[in-house]
Amino acid sequence: MKTFIRVVELWVPDRTRTRLEFGGSLCSEEYAEFKAVSENVLFAYDEGLPGKAWASGHPVILTKFANSYFKRTDEAIEAGLTCGVALPVFAGEFLMAVMVLFCGDDEKHVGAIELWHNDADVSHEMGLVDGYYGTADMFEFNSRHTKFPRGFGLPGRTWKAGMPLIIKDLHNSKRFLRWEEASEIGINCGVGIPYTTSPDKTWVMTFLSAQATPIAKRFEIWVPDASRLALVFQSGDCSKNTELESLYASKSIGKGEGSIGGAWATGMPAINEHLKVDESVASQAARAAGMNQIVVLPVIENALLKAVLAWYL
């Protein structure tokens, strides 16, 4: 089964903290050449896709590499990569890392990655900045002509919550305003990630996952408990229909424990291609379900961790 996202990269500040260097990637063997090129690239502030996310302070999406500021265009096109999304992680005003996600292109490629934005000076609604939809043309058309008030639809609900959100069974969810179009093309799970760059500017990144080309096999959100000594499970969605709530009912992850606890301890996103070296309860459960890799994104506001979003491949 091919996932919608083909390559995940981490870009981290170098020793001088003036440039971003390659911090690892998750990808299959078919992207080995692209990875080899990336390993030797450096990005200055505002340069290339990672540098652009650093300078802008919010997620950036590029749906076409040709004639853009993207720097590895020939290699990306050669590898069949068609869209790049950069998610910066900041602690206050200081950049911790940039996670870059690449999508591929083939006939049965359905799903969506969208960037939504609200500027309070201009509107009380959230509109689409840009999105990548694979072959879901009609869904793309409708999304580009839809605006969401705060609290409505996946972008509006993520905006109101100020927290990452997972909506399951979208085809049955009247709270997902585009559910009819989504169900027609098999989109069944949505994930929203909020970014507040100032009190009056909010960005929301959404991932819409389809059964045939899922964004991931499992999504989980972990949040600090009341004492802020451990992370507890908040919500999740698993393609194998595992009851995650009951699985994690009395479990927690300590600060620094495994990839998820490590993201809290360091403020850094993480990728791990060998879950067997991760001892947390979440990794053990994912391994038991046949998953081998994890991507972890900390959600930080005012230099405090609000949540950790993890997805498994």
Side-chain angles (χ1 to χ4, degrees):
M1 182 189 287
K2 276 193 167 175
T3 51
F4 193 72
I5 294 170
R6 301 294 163 78
V7 178
V8 182
E9 295 178 339
L10 281 187
W11 293 88
V12 297
D14 67 1
R15 278 188 330 234
T16 66
R17 295 194 70 84
T18 58
R19 294 180 304 181
L20 296 173
E21 63 185 8
F22 187 72
S25 75
L26 278 186
C27 61
S28 64
E29 203 44 52
E30 67 182 294
Y31 302 107
E33 279 184 41
F34 183 72
K35 179 179 180 179
V37 170
S38 302
E39 283 169 348
N40 297 306
V41 179
L42 290 169
F43 292 104
Y45 185 77
D46 206 24
E47 181 185 28
L49 187 56
K52 192 63 77 177
W54 180 8
S56 64
H58 57 73
V60 174
I61 184 166
L62 252 188
T63 53
K64 287 187 182 65
F65 297 142
N67 306 317
S68 73
Y69 54 79
F70 191 74
K71 291 193 70 177
R72 297 166 283 163
T73 302
D74 294 347
E75 292 85 356
I77 291 169
E78 177 85 8
L81 299 172
T82 48
C83 164
V85 176
L87 303 167
V89 175
F90 285 90
E93 61 181 322
F94 305 107
L95 182 80
M96 305 303 288
V98 178
M99 183 183 283
V100 177
L101 314 172
F102 288 104
C103 299
D105 206 11
D106 58 39
E107 294 295 295
K108 299 184 175 60
H109 196 63
V110 169
I113 296 182
E114 305 170 316
L115 179 60
W116 299 83
H117 177 50
N118 167 264
D119 184 337
D121 293 338
V122 178
S123 168
H124 62 279
E125 294 180 312
M126 192 161 256
L128 187 75
V129 178
D130 205 352
Y132 181 73
Y133 297 86
T135 54
D137 297 339
M138 199 61 214
F139 187 75
E140 173 173 0
F141 177 82
N142 288 329
S143 299
R144 291 188 185 281
H145 293 84
T146 303
K147 291 214 173 0
F148 291 100
R150 187 182 165 97
F152 290 87
L154 178 58
R157 287 179 60 204
T158 305
W159 176 17
K160 185 177 180 183
M163 289 283 282
L165 281 186
I166 296 172
I167 303 185
K168 308 186 251 193
D169 301 325
L170 286 184
H171 48 283
N172 295 326
S173 176
K174 299 295 188 284
R175 291 180 303 179
F176 184 76
L177 298 185
R178 296 170 288 166
W179 67 274
E180 284 186 65
E181 298 100 320
S183 64
E184 280 168 22
I185 55 175
I187 286 177
N188 62 340
C189 169
V191 179
I193 308 168
Y195 280 79
T196 305
T197 49
S198 68
D200 53 357
K201 286 188 170 49
T202 306
W203 306 76
V204 170
M205 198 84 225
T206 56
F207 298 134
L208 302 176
S209 194
Q211 280 152 322
T213 47
I215 300 258
K217 294 174 183 167
R218 177 181 288 184
F219 284 103
E220 295 173 352
I221 295 171
W222 293 77
V223 296
D225 65 5
S227 67
R228 292 193 72 87
L229 294 173
L231 293 169
V232 292
F233 178 76
Q234 188 192 55
S235 65
D237 182 60
C238 181
S239 61
K240 296 202 162 42
N241 296 323
T242 309
E243 244 336 300
L244 297 174
E245 280 83 355
S246 51
L247 181 68
Y248 294 130
S250 55
K251 309 273 199 311
S252 63
I253 295 176
K255 201 169 193 174
E257 188 186 342
S259 304
I260 293 174
W264 185 13
T266 61
M268 298 280 283
I271 49 181
N272 186 342
E273 53 185 329
H274 303 294
L275 276 183
K276 57 180 177 289
V277 298
D278 183 329
E279 289 307 309
S280 73
V281 291
S283 288
Q284 288 168 8
R287 267 204 327 270
M291 296 161 203
N292 304 309
Q293 302 177 326
I294 186 173
V295 179
V296 181
L297 187 69
V299 178
I300 299 170
E301 193 175 293
N302 300 328
L304 277 176
L305 182 92
K306 294 184 80 173
V308 176
L309 173 67
W311 66 91
Y312 299 85
L313 306 168

